[in-house]
Amino acid sequence: NPRGWLLDQIVATPRTPPALGQFRSGSQAMAQYQRIRVQRGDPGVERLLREEYRDAYVAEAGARTLAQIQSDQPFRERLVAFWSNHFTVSVQRPIVLGLAGAFEREAIRPHVTGKFRDMLVASTRHQAMLTYLDNAVSVGPNSIGGRRRNVGLNENLAREILELHTLGVDGGYTQGDVREFARILTGWTVGRATSPNAGQFAFLPAIHEPGPKTLLGVRYEEAGENEGLQALAALSRHPSTARFVATKFARHFVSDRPPDALIGRLSRLFLDTDGDLGALSRALVEGPEAWADTQPKVKSTNDFVVSALRATGFAGEPRTLVQALRLLGQAPYAAPSPAGWPDVGDQWIGPEAVIRRAEWAMAVGNRAAAARAPLDMFEATIAPIATRETRLAVERAPSAGDAIALVLASPEFQRR
């Protein structure tokens, strides 16, 4: 009953894997960063990021990957990974090293089967997003702080929310809307090192752009922080957001080119349920499209590594997992841009990628051979869809390690 198994995971109570409960909150990590900056300046911050925060990043990224491998709710883990990629924060910007794991735990995990609006607000207010996309230093030009310090507006967060998180690049907004939304979001920042709420989300009226603003033809009267909450709520209910989210959701779970009928159905459901992501997930499981093609998607690097180690039962240490993902081209929380990792096959399978996967499969096969019978693993994974050539290659392999490697490197195992 695969449908029932997936539906049970959707209605399960959200929980953070126990191994991830030991790590610091985003506010704790941010407050430490701020204290070091005040006390020791740039050299102290560089050392903190290079040493403590990098170690913390590797530990949590490895623990998160291990949780994906060992989870008894792998569909929920996939939902977490999908939405974490949708609302990307990346350690390509070093300050995010200490914040990326906390962002996923605090802004994404609690909401993957809840309301899109709640995830949108949580991600926008999180220290990682405010810092990654510079809203923490965005100041209204006509605010008290802007007039005193002659500093100005930063449009990065506003632009990426419109383009990547809600409406989509063709969603009907203009550069004027980006600027107005950036003005709305001024004051959304992080409590300073000397304040009682150091490292936490803070709204600072002194840097908020005063006066009314107009976003997508809607006038927002001066209301401080509430302007941003109203704007995010409106964006979460916009038809362009519904279609953009539905398209990405269908592309990830069904096909690189999902059927228009499915996108339309998911879009309508998104609007009818006020962005209920649990309902969106249920519709995907209950509909025919996700079951129509045996292997429509090429596995990303993370998918490949997680599925290979679930299949072999050999996970290794957290640091080793992160090294493997980096070697194969998808280090955790390290997307090259705010757009996140790509979700179409031709971005993951090229000649060099295939060679790297085959070499890694051989290394895993040699390590797992003592604990995993190759033919049992073959039957438990790709046997129903394997070609005769693949089956013969596995059966005739000169060693158990070679046989396991052939399963993992096979064309069938590269897809999902």
Side-chain angles (χ1 to χ4, degrees):
N1 183 19
R3 279 186 171 90
W5 178 65
L6 294 170
L7 292 171
D8 285 346
Q9 294 179 52
I10 294 170
V11 300
T13 302
R15 67 174 189 265
T16 299
L20 301 182
Q22 62 180 307
F23 296 101
R24 286 181 300 191
S25 69
S27 59
Q28 290 171 331
M30 191 68 197
Q32 182 187 25
Y33 173 86
Q34 292 171 326
R35 286 195 301 271
I36 296 297
R37 176 167 288 284
V38 169
Q39 295 168 0
R40 305 177 196 170
D42 288 343
V45 165
E46 290 174 7
R47 182 173 180 179
L48 177 72
L49 297 177
R50 186 175 63 250
E51 298 175 3
E52 184 175 341
Y53 278 16
R54 181 164 294 280
D55 288 344
Y57 155 73
V58 170
E60 182 158 9
R64 177 245 206 174
T65 307
L66 193 59
Q68 293 176 334
I69 295 166
Q70 298 175 339
S71 176
D72 61 355
Q73 295 185 338
F75 185 37
R76 286 197 77 91
E77 289 301 312
R78 178 171 289 284
L79 290 170
V80 170
F82 171 81
W83 289 113
S84 186
N85 192 54
H86 180 80
F87 293 101
T88 286
V89 296
S90 175
V91 298
Q92 296 285 333
R93 186 162 190 178
I95 189 174
V96 180
L97 283 166
L99 300 170
F103 174 79
E104 186 174 87
R105 279 184 281 116
E106 296 164 356
I108 303 300
R109 279 189 179 276
H111 306 295
V112 294
T113 53
K115 293 288 189 177
F116 178 79
R117 178 182 63 252
D118 295 335
M119 190 186 294
L120 176 61
V121 171
S123 67
T124 304
R125 289 166 57 106
H126 199 275
Q127 302 88 347
M129 188 68 74
L130 291 168
T131 304
Y132 176 56
L133 293 178
D134 301 307
N135 209 78
V137 295
S138 182
V139 178
N142 298 305
S143 67
I144 295 171
R147 293 197 304 270
R148 284 178 178 173
R149 292 184 284 165
N150 194 30
V151 293
L153 204 59
N154 189 293
E155 299 178 358
N156 289 350
L157 179 60
R159 179 178 294 104
E160 305 306 4
I161 290 175
L162 295 175
E163 178 179 335
L164 301 175
H165 301 169
T166 59
L167 306 178
V169 68
D170 298 319
Y173 67 91
T174 67
Q175 174 56 32
D177 289 314
V178 172
R179 185 164 185 82
E180 287 292 275
F181 191 27
R183 294 171 69 217
I184 287 172
L185 291 175
T186 50
W188 287 45
T189 186
V190 179
R192 303 300 188 258
T194 54
S195 68
N197 60 349
Q200 301 175 35
F201 169 79
F203 177 75
L204 297 185
I207 62 172
H208 176 67
E209 180 71 7
K213 296 95 176 170
T214 301
L215 174 62
L216 299 174
V218 177
R219 180 181 171 93
Y220 293 85
E221 299 296 340
E222 172 58 45
E225 180 186 353
N226 203 42
E227 291 173 34
L229 295 174
Q230 292 172 9
L232 290 173
L235 288 169
S236 74
R237 299 186 180 104
H238 197 283
S240 292
T241 298
R243 185 162 187 85
F244 181 62
V245 168
T247 301
K248 287 190 68 175
F249 206 62
R251 182 183 299 129
H252 180 81
F253 285 100
V254 174
S255 167
D256 287 359
R257 295 174 180 81
D260 288 339
L262 173 62
I263 294 172
R265 194 167 75 247
L266 293 178
S267 298
R268 290 190 296 273
L269 181 65
F270 186 95
L271 293 173
D272 291 345
T273 62
D274 195 22
D276 187 327
L277 302 182
L280 209 66
S281 298
R282 284 192 296 274
L284 198 69
V285 172
E286 292 171 343
E289 293 88 354
W291 308 89
D293 190 342
T294 305
Q295 288 188 300
K297 296 283 294 182
V298 171
K299 292 177 181 177
S300 68
T301 289
N302 192 81
D303 287 342
F304 172 63
V305 169
V306 168
S307 60
L309 297 180
R310 282 179 73 91
T312 60
F314 177 79
E317 297 299 320
R319 185 174 294 274
T320 304
L321 293 174
V322 176
Q323 289 172 343
L325 289 166
R326 183 182 293 116
L327 175 67
L328 295 175
Q330 194 180 13
Y333 309 127
S337 78
W341 295 105
D343 210 0
V344 291
D346 60 6
Q347 298 295 308
W348 292 111
I349 289 292
E352 184 177 352
V354 170
I355 291 171
R356 287 182 179 178
R357 289 189 183 198
E359 291 172 345
W360 184 79
M362 181 60 73
V364 172
N366 289 334
R367 292 172 184 170
R372 194 74 164 102
L375 291 181
D376 288 347
M377 193 188 83
F378 173 80
E379 293 296 334
T381 55
I382 63 172
I385 54 171
T387 64
R388 182 174 180 274
E389 289 77 11
T390 297
R391 179 180 286 275
L392 288 175
V394 173
E395 290 175 345
R396 296 173 180 176
S399 69
D402 288 340
I404 291 174
L406 284 167
V407 172
L408 300 182
S410 68
E412 297 90 337
F413 201 87
Q414 304 310 306
R415 305 186 71 87
R416 62 171 176 86

